Structure formats: structure tokens, C-alpha cells
Amino acid sequence: MTSRFYPHYGPEWRQIYTEIEENVKKIFKTRNEVIIMPAPGCLGLELGIVNVANRGDKIVALTNGFFGDRFVEIASYCGAEVLTLSAPAGYVVSPETLKECLDRNPDARALIVVQNESAAGVLNPIHEYLAIAKKRGLFTVVDAVSSFGGADLDVDGWGIDVCVGYPNKCLSGIPGALPVSISREVWERVERGQVSPMSWFTNLRVWRWYRENWSSAGHPYPTTVNTYAYLALKKGVEVALEEGLEKRYERHRRMAAALRAAVKAMRLGLVSKNESYASPTITAIEVPEKLRDKIGQLVDMMLNKYRIMISRGIGATENNAIRIGHMGLTASPRYLLPTVAALVDALNYLSGEGRSVGEAVEAFHKELGY
């Protein structure tokens, strides 16, 4: 971020940008074409929807939290007929429910789903959903915003047509350079005019024109981009690949499991009700009923007294949970152990109870085998 400024075009920038695209493909595990949008994650989701389905087409949406609900909202604003399959916060939609829905709706065009529902701390079994959808010939759009670079993702192996990653969560970068993987089938459908996005910036036909006509000038996108954001993405991806993806995913799993063990030692519950679906990148913690009117105080105390930022729940979990992220750099004892100790102290102060820091820390270490 303190390096020299690059213009967003030119031969030097073209080489840098091409390298970013190629390295991002390794995290997606894809040979598909990848674009890097100067945009927030929700615009990438919109791009996915409008390029796989026309207005009025049926889209099946799986949701079990705030960000799944937002995906439904985006699809609805894009004019799709959305068939929503929901599970309560902490649970997942069963694959059988998806099968039954598709049996009733053989004309469904696409499936949309969030891989990691960060409102509830749940990692959805998207590979199971995608296998069902692809067998029925559906296009698939996946929100991997809070899992990209922190949880296993296999775009080609699982059959994801549009997959939206993110730069500043598990990659510890900054917003403004959004990686999106797009399958050949989606590109071809747009180019043949089988889908007609009623937009400009999220229309892949527009992106194709610039990629074909301006790539040689180092400008394969339809607008100006913030090159600093792209350089931060470049570095974040390089760090992830240097660590090794499988090693990195295992680190996230282990740190998440250790934090959950510490939470249980604090006599707190988890929003995620099944360990096999617990998120490796964020943990949602149920706050005791008698403290739920003090969630705001708890979050403020963690920030103002300990300089540790956590957040309250969102959507259905807003008034009964707090959330702790462990993504990228922060998926380590260096960050999580101070968080555990501070949380115990804050809970004791607000509740008048005597939870033990030592027991929570010991549970954390024991889970790691220390």
C-alpha cells in the first residue's frame, strides 16, 4: 500500500493484472475465465444472477441467515422469480429439500447459495447442493465472500458457474478488487444472446468487449480501477498460495475448533447446531438470555476497553448472538487468545458471574493438542 502508484492501464500494469488473474484462479481451483471487478461483493452477486437468468426466470435460493436473505433480495430486484428454501439460523437446508423443490419446478433456471453464512457461523454443504443442481442442468451462483481463501473451494470440481470471492476477509486485503470466476457456459450463453442483462456494468457482454479490445492496453475492464486495491489483492493471494491452500484451510479449521472449545468452557452456546457445519472463518456465539439486552454494551466494551472488534449478530441473530471472525491473519492464537480472555472478563463484568479465563484458555489449548 505504500509502494508506487500504477496507472490502471499500460504494458507494466497489464503484466501485473494478468498475474493477479492467474493466481486468483488457483484459489478458485478453476480454469475458468476470471475477472477482477472494482466493486463490492453484492455487485458480483448481481452480475452472476443477471448473466444466468432473464427477468421472470425461476431461481432457487437456499438461505439460512442474513447473507442468504440478501442474495434472495438481490435476485428479486433483478426480476427473477425466486423460490426460497430456508433453514433457521444455525441449521442448513437439507439436500433432500432441494431435490423435492426441483422435482416440483423442472423449469428452474439457476441455484444461488452462500457458502459460508457468517450471520450464523455455518459453512453450508454447497458441494452437495451443486451436485444436485448440475445433475438437473441448473446454472449455479455461489457467494464465497467470507470463505474465499479460508475454506476449501473447488469451482471446477463442484461445477460452479459464477463464484464470487473477496479480497479483505480471509485474504486480509482491502475492498475494491473483487475476484469473480465465470464458466465458459455462462460466457457463451451471454454472447449468443440467450440471456439479456438489463444493465451495463454487470453485463458480461460489456466485459467481453473490453477484454477483447482493450486487454492489449492493460485495460480489460469497462471502467477505472483502484490499482492499490488490486496490488493488495495480489499480495494477499501470494501469501495464501505461499502458505499452501490445504495447510491454510486446516489452520482455519483448527483455530475455529479451538475457539468453539473455549466458548463451551465459558458455558456459552453456539448458533451453529452441528459441528460438521461449523464455519472455519467466523463463530457465532449465543449470548445468555439475561445478557441479551446488554449485547451492545458487550461489543462496545470489547472495542473500547480491549481494542478488540467483535460484532453482534445480524438478521435473525441480531438480538441473541455475538460474532467473532477468525480469517486470514487473525486465525491464530496470537489474536484469538486475547479475544477469549477479554470476552471472559467482559462477560463477568456485565453478568456478575465468575467465568474462568484459565478454563477457557486451557480448553483452547487442549483442542489444539498443546
Side-chain angles (χ1 to χ4, degrees), residues 276-302:
S276 62
Y277 299 131
S279 168
T281 66
I282 189 165
T283 296
I285 303 167
E286 289 184 332
V287 174
E289 193 165 343
K290 65 180 180 180
L291 285 177
R292 289 181 181 175
D293 61 344
K294 297 181 180 180
I295 289 178
Q297 290 177 256
L298 176 61
V299 171
D300 289 345
M301 185 176 179
M302 289 289 288

Side-chain angles (χ1 to χ4, degrees), residues 12-194:
E12 192 174 13
W13 180 249
R14 179 182 63 194
Q15 181 176 347
I16 293 171
Y17 178 84
T18 300
E19 184 180 344
I20 296 171
E21 278 194 0
E22 291 305 310
N23 278 340
V24 163
K25 288 181 183 180
K26 297 173 185 176
I27 296 183
F28 279 122
K29 292 184 183 175
T30 189
R31 295 182 180 178
N32 288 339
E33 198 166 344
V34 167
I35 63 174
I36 313 295
M37 300 177 71
C42 55
L43 202 60
L45 301 180
E46 183 173 315
L47 177 142
I49 291 165
V50 300
N51 287 280
V52 303
N54 287 304
R55 297 180 71 86
D57 283 349
K58 284 185 181 178
I59 289 180
V60 177
L62 306 182
T63 177
N64 54 347
F66 176 85
F67 291 99
D69 293 345
R70 173 179 283 186
F71 212 168
V72 170
E73 182 181 10
I74 293 170
S76 298
Y77 271 97
C78 291
E81 180 185 342
V82 185
L83 306 176
T84 304
L85 305 179
S86 302
Y91 297 87
V92 302
V93 176
S94 72
E96 290 72 25
T97 299
L98 175 59
K99 289 179 183 178
E100 292 169 1
C101 176
L102 295 180
D103 286 342
R104 296 191 303 270
N105 297 276
D107 56 340
R109 176 67 64 184
L111 173 73
I112 62 175
V113 62
V114 175
Q115 182 180 24
N116 187 66
E117 180 47 75
S118 58
V122 172
L123 187 72
N124 286 311
I126 63 167
H127 58 288
E128 296 182 44
Y129 302 146
L130 294 167
I132 295 167
K134 297 311 289 185
K135 188 175 181 180
R136 308 294 183 97
L138 273 68
F139 287 96
T140 57
V141 184
V142 171
D143 172 347
V145 166
S146 63
S147 54
F148 188 67
D152 191 24
L153 181 64
D154 189 349
V155 165
D156 289 357
W158 296 348
I160 305 175
D161 287 296
V162 179
C163 190
V164 180
Y166 213 64
N168 73 304
K169 294 189 182 291
C170 299
L171 292 181
S172 303
I174 64 170
L178 183 73
V180 183
S181 168
I182 303 156
S183 72
R184 176 177 52 81
E185 290 78 10
V186 171
W187 283 107
E188 289 177 350
R189 191 161 180 265
V190 172
E191 290 162 1
R192 288 196 297 261
Q194 292 175 295

Side-chain angles (χ1 to χ4, degrees), residues 33 187 191 204-213:
E33 198 166 344
W187 283 107
E191 290 162 1
L204 283 178
R205 190 176 294 113
V206 173
W207 281 80
R208 172 58 74 218
W209 191 94
Y210 284 92
R211 289 176 74 80
E212 288 182 348
N213 292 280

Side-chain angles (χ1 to χ4, degrees), residues 251 254-256 258-259 326 328-341 361 364-365 368 370:
R251 170 167 63 86
R254 294 181 72 233
M255 291 302 122
L259 179 59
H326 27 85
L329 184 66
T330 63
S332 70
R334 176 183 176 185
Y335 289 91
L336 291 179
L337 282 174
T339 302
V340 167
V361 170
F364 185 97
H365 283 144
L368 295 178
Y370 297 165

